[in-house]
Amino acid sequence: MSGSIPFYQKHHRHYDRGYRSRETESKMSQYRSSSRYTADSRSRGLNVSSHSGLEESRLSPLPKRPKPTYLAVDKENQIIGYVVPIFRGSQEFATGLSDTEEKRVRDTAAYMANRDLFTSGLEMERSEQISRKDAMRVSAERISQNKRIHEHEEHLKRMNEDSLMHPPEFVIKPRSHTVWEKQCVRLHCTVSGWPDPRVVWYKNNVAIDPLTNPGKYNLESRYNVHSLEINRCDFDDTAQYRVSAMNSKGEQSAFASIVVKRFKGEVDEYLPKPRLGPVSEYGITFQTHIVDKFGVSFGREGETMSLGCTVVIYPALHRYQPEVQWYRDDVLLSPSKWHHMHWSGDRATLTFTHLNKEDEGLYTLRVTTKSGYETYSAYVFVRDADAEVEGAPSAPLDVRCLDANKDYIIVTWKQPAVDGGNSILGYFVDRCEVGTTHWIQCNDTPVKFARFPVTGLVEGRSYFFRVRAVNKIGMSRPSRVSEPVAAMDPADRARMRGTSAPWTGQIIVTEEEPAEGVVPGRPRELQVTEATKNYLVLSWKPPGEKGLEGVMYYVEKCVSGTDSWQRVNTEIPVKSPRFALFDLAEGKSYSFRVRCCNSAGVGEPSEPTEPTTVGDKLDIPSAPGKVIPTRNTDTSVVVSWEASRDAKELVGYYIEGRIVSSNEWEPCNNKPVNATRFTCHGLTTGEKYVFRVRAVNAAGLSQFSQESEPVEVKAAIGGGIPHAAPTPPYGITVLECVRDAMVLAWKQPTFIGGADITGYFVDYREVTDGVPGKWYEGNIRPVSERAYRVSDLKENRKYQFQVRASNIAGVGLPSLPSDTFLCEEWTIAVPGPPHDLQLRDVRSDSVVLLWKPPIYQGRNPVNGYYVDIKEADSPEEAWRGVNNNATEKTFIKIKNLKEGETFVFRVRAQNKAGVGKTSDVTEPVQALTKPGTKEIVVDVDDDGIISLNFECCDLTPDSKFVWSKNYEEITDTSRLTTETKGNKSKAVFNTLGEEDIGIYSCLVTHTDGASSSYNLSEEELKKLLEISHDHKFPIIPLKSELAVELLEKGRVRFWLQAEKISANGKVDYVFNDNVLSQGEKYKMNFDKNTGVIEMIMESLTSADEGTFTFQLQDGKATNQSSLVLIGDVFKGLQKESEFQRKEYFRKQGPHFIEYLGYEVTPECCVLLKCKVGNIKKETSAHWYKDGHEIKADEHLGFTEGVLKLEIAQRDSPAATADDDLIWRRLKVGISYLLSSWPNGHFWFFRFA
């Protein structure tokens, strides 16, 4: 029978014969007694057969007649007890006894039953006493043994702590539950770890604090078993719950979800009925008021501070508590060692135990009830503590661990606002192992970059970090310590913490079996995520194949320009797809790649990265732009500024202010602000202040901006403030309408408040039967365009709209309510009206009109526009068209206007279906050129750079030059670069080409419409390019090209003449690509007045055959001229030069003017004569015949340089013709002494 009893009855405390009542036991005793006196053996046989019958029927394969049984069973044949049968004796036995004997037998049976009952009771009490003593003894022994074991374990822990320390581990994780509303639920978990971990419960990643909701949550921790009990669950308790266990060795989390179901159909009486509208607690709407508020607070580092508000909730229900939350800079705060939260039921308090600069910010108290929430905010300023050394900088702040691995941790921080009057030389980073108080300096020399990789760590241990700044005066106080971080592989850390995901209402756990024996593929998307001169960080994505077993990574590097790859982590591969490299040579370029590996082998490398040069890639940000102060209160000023341009990884801005009469700058904030607007508190009422701003990133602090204009500190009430909010917009129209939305347009305010409009806010309200309702916000964030789509409207309802403009001074007043518009879908085929009409370049005879396309296109796209014009005071019938053919552009220049006349314009769009609605009419404009109006001037400078220049004489301090192409603002600076100085602006073409053809315009903001346009056509482009080429590559004009001529003595002169050349001009003389220089052979001369350039050579030799070139340069202007002397031309010139040279030297002494000749006189005498020049008195003449001097008479004919020799006829008849010829061969020699020649040389010249 015991085998058929359910398990829960076996362990029941009544599972024995004693579970029956005393009366039942008495009846059983009577039955046993009567059976003993009458038919003991038969009754026993019946019981035995009853039990054996059960066993036989269970084991025998043949069906037998079931024996009678006395067991009680339920409907499912489960044994639940015994059945006592009614005793029936045999007829023979009954008739053998008399009535008296039967009574005696019954009395005897009753006596025996009572005796057995008493004896059994004594035995049971004695047995219970013995069992209780045994249990107490066993329990005491167990407690003693556990105590000895615990003491022994504690002794071992004290003897060898490191070997026993291990991170938290969930032995039993919490289980997810699904419960009904108003039920209680409990989450359990068992956590092991040493030191004992600290356990925190979270709801949707928000820490659970039982004090904020008394009675709602109950947290228990006992013997490493932790539980979270949630009382009376409601639908808001449906969430993902996380339990986090953390000790000095690490952190781990476990997750469970609770789903709270709500009854459908029949609802219990105690459950609230569903209600429409705002959710309330049991039909009650709570009203929350925050009173007794904390104001703007000032503290100093190291002090304590408390912020508090009194919260009044009506109606007050003691069992209901609101949700109270504190935020700093819109970030939810949780209790920590630095600040504590307290809610007493009517007052919320936030207490700072030790103020730090990290605590500075805007604090917000948020009180949430079922009916909504109320908030209150105020700023807390934390000033620096006094420096230990006067003149030392203040402490850095916000020390964090940017990246952590098993052998390094990258620490980052923010630079302080105060440098002590001297530039900060750098920072020192200190570390301290968790559990100790010993700080170790990590760097020997100060680092300027606000990031530093700390190495030399012990894997698995946790560390704190702090940073100190240093200047030439001394060291700052240390910063607040960072949160503890463990030096371990990120993959191990993620595995210990587990993964968390936002609550989705469903938790699905999947696990993929790893593929063993498969070599992993290539890592993907390898890139350098951070590079400094101290370290470089790589990151990548795992290979695309999933389920690979035990994937790890090897990192390789290669110096750029080589093919030698070196493995960086040679000993142990990394587990996470992120790795930092150190000890790289600064200035060198490296490429990197990664390989995957597992037990099956090493995979192929990834694609290498682009060459990366080791060095600080982050530049110090540029100085912020213009600073504008605006009055706020009697003790505060709102400071706005233009953001730093092209700033990378910007941390924020520091603001400083000073009184005009003082030179001492004071920081307005000690924690960088990320916005470009800040309220400076704690100023002196009535004083005038100026402000300046500088930006900060990890590379350092930028230069200060320019000082602002002085502003007096007083409440901004009435006029006189530097900037005011804009006036209301006007002219609200509908551009498009669908079933549940309408697109609105409006016109810019007539007065924008002296500062650019930053956006618009649209409100709407429903009009029912002519009665307007409540205003609702159409947009939360401002829109920059003057058109906006208002959504979530109701079809066939009427609405009114209003618009407000805003600038840096604030949000202006709303416009007047618009006309009432019906929200119904437009189905017309033609387009809607164009909008945002603007007038530019107003002149005496022309004006430029701009517009934007219609929002509603109709059934077909818009393919053109028509512009109408009329005089402002003319009737509607006076509208006339400006263009007969539709223009596809959204601008047009209207010409031939009558000077001084006032005009208005409108625009219509058309598509294939026809011409659509007309736009709103522009404001009246008078065709008149205002005095001082300038036009755009095209300029080409000496470098050939083409620019458009515009000057405006009506500038205001807030005016800006806005350049546009085809009346669209130029934002791409690849083609055009703009620069502004004073009241002049220039747009410089980077590379002028055909793609730059178009209409360029310049508009000056915050003026009375100062603008101008310039049409760069194709013809103008060609003209400008020619001028640019001439300016870029100017040519020195020449009057004559390079020429050559012969001078006396046979000298050769090369020369040319430039038309114009300055005193800075220079000439290079080149022969066969070799530059010639002044010397004995070459004589150069450059007359800059006449422009004559010459080079003279004494003679020409065969080596002088080639090309002669004169290269001229005057500033950027150049020119050259060449002369080629080769072949017959050169030879002829050379021969002539030699001849002239000889002739010159010949003519220096007596020389023949006329050579020797003869004539026969009538007397038949031969007269020899010649003419000699340059005859002096020392000159003598000698006649020779056949080389022999002729003795002649002294009286030779020698007059006027003519020498004569008369030869008489020979009388000898034997004379022959040859003798006669020889006779005729005479020579004249002339010599003279040149005593004036140097060195006293004597020279003789002979002539034949």
Side-chain angles (χ1 to χ4, degrees), residues 412-432:
T412 181
W413 61 90
K414 294 178 182 178
Q415 296 89 336
V418 178
D419 56 10
N422 296 281
S423 299
I424 294 178
L425 302 177
Y427 303 89
F428 287 102
V429 180
D430 304 331
R431 74 171 186 263
C432 176

Side-chain angles (χ1 to χ4, degrees), residues 493-514:
R493 184 182 296 106
R495 185 164 55 253
M496 292 180 60
R497 291 184 178 179
T499 57
S500 61
W503 169 247
T504 61
Q506 183 179 11
I507 297 177
I508 300 175
V509 180
T510 61
E511 183 175 356
E512 186 176 5
E513 291 294 332

Side-chain angles (χ1 to χ4, degrees), residues 301 357 384-396 416-426 468-478:
E301 282 186 298
K357 287 186 289 187
D384 291 302
D386 294 334
E388 296 178 350
V389 179
E390 186 177 356
S394 59
V418 178
D419 56 10
N422 296 281
S423 299
I424 294 178
L425 302 177
R468 295 169 293 154
V470 61
N471 62 8
K472 68 178 183 180
I473 301 299
M475 192 85 66
S476 73
R477 292 177 177 269

Side-chain angles (χ1 to χ4, degrees), residues 836-847:
D836 198 11
L837 276 64
Q838 301 181 40
L839 295 171
R840 299 271 188 90
D841 305 349
V842 180
R843 301 294 186 265
S844 298
D845 60 346
S846 65
V847 67

Side-chain angles (χ1 to χ4, degrees), residues 965-1077:
K965 180 181 179 182
N966 295 331
Y967 300 101
E968 294 182 1
E969 185 175 353
I970 299 174
T971 57
D972 183 12
T973 58
S974 60
R975 305 293 307 171
L976 198 70
T977 304
T978 60
E979 55 184 60
T980 301
K981 292 182 179 180
N983 64 338
K984 297 180 181 180
S985 183
K986 176 189 295 185
V988 181
F989 291 98
N990 299 332
T991 304
L992 188 62
E994 293 184 356
E995 54 268 36
D996 296 315
I997 294 176
I999 299 176
Y1000 291 85
S1001 63
C1002 183
L1003 171 69
V1004 185
T1005 63
H1006 301 283
T1007 61
D1008 192 11
S1011 62
S1012 179
S1013 300
Y1014 170 75
N1015 185 11
L1016 180 59
S1017 61
E1018 187 174 354
E1019 295 76 11
E1020 190 72 13
L1021 174 66
K1022 294 180 180 179
K1023 180 181 177 181
L1024 290 175
L1025 290 177
E1026 292 177 359
I1027 299 174
S1028 174
H1029 184 273
D1030 293 341
H1031 286 208
K1032 190 179 297 184
F1033 308 103
I1035 297 176
I1036 300 175
L1038 301 178
K1039 285 186 177 181
S1040 61
E1041 298 290 336
L1042 183 61
V1044 64
E1045 63 181 3
L1046 293 176
L1047 303 178
E1048 60 181 7
K1049 301 182 185 180
R1051 294 183 299 170
V1052 182
R1053 176 180 180 240
F1054 297 89
W1055 71 281
L1056 62 78
Q1057 186 176 7
E1059 184 174 340
K1060 182 179 180 182
I1061 193 167
S1062 69
N1064 297 324
K1066 64 178 182 177
V1067 182
D1068 290 333
Y1069 305 86
V1070 181
F1071 171 67
N1072 290 344
D1073 297 331
N1074 296 319
V1075 179
L1076 305 177
S1077 59

Side-chain angles (χ1 to χ4, degrees), residues 768-815:
T768 305
D769 297 332
V771 179
K774 181 181 178 181
W775 287 105
Y776 294 96
E777 293 181 347
N779 59 311
I780 298 176
R781 295 183 178 180
V783 293
S784 58
E785 299 291 334
R786 287 195 294 274
Y788 181 70
R789 180 182 298 272
V790 182
S791 304
D792 298 330
L793 303 179
K794 296 180 181 179
E795 189 176 7
N796 296 325
R797 300 288 182 91
K798 295 181 180 180
Y799 292 91
Q800 286 183 338
F801 303 91
Q802 66 180 16
V803 183
R804 293 168 293 164
S806 65
N807 59 12
I808 61 174
V811 181
L813 297 175
S815 64

Side-chain angles (χ1 to χ4, degrees), residues 642-782:
E642 295 179 359
S644 298
R645 295 184 178 181
D646 302 327
K648 296 181 180 179
E649 300 183 23
L650 187 66
V651 173
Y653 298 91
Y654 283 121
I655 303 96
E656 293 186 358
R658 67 173 177 87
I659 301 176
V660 173
S661 59
S662 172
N663 293 325
E664 184 177 355
W665 292 92
E666 293 291 340
C668 298
N669 62 316
N670 280 307
K671 181 180 178 181
V673 294
N674 295 321
T676 56
R677 178 186 175 98
F678 186 75
T679 304
C680 301
H681 290 272
L683 307 180
T684 304
T685 305
E687 291 285 356
K688 288 187 176 181
Y689 284 81
V690 292
F691 299 90
R692 64 183 185 183
V693 184
R694 59 177 172 177
V696 58
N697 64 4
L701 295 166
S702 72
Q703 297 294 326
F704 281 104
S705 66
Q706 295 183 355
E707 296 181 9
S708 69
E709 296 293 331
V711 59
E712 185 179 358
V713 180
K714 65 179 182 180
I717 299 177
I721 60 176
H723 296 286
T727 56
Y730 64 98
I732 301 176
T733 58
V734 177
L735 303 181
E736 184 186 26
C737 185
V738 295
R739 290 186 301 175
D740 59 349
M742 302 175 74
V743 179
L744 306 176
W746 55 88
K747 295 182 181 180
Q748 180 175 295
T750 55
F751 175 69
I752 64 175
D756 291 334
I757 292 179
T758 57
Y760 296 90
F761 295 92
V762 181
D763 301 332
Y764 68 95
R765 65 182 178 184
E766 186 177 348
V767 179
T768 305
D769 297 332
V771 179
K774 181 181 178 181
W775 287 105
Y776 294 96
E777 293 181 347
N779 59 311
I780 298 176
R781 295 183 178 180

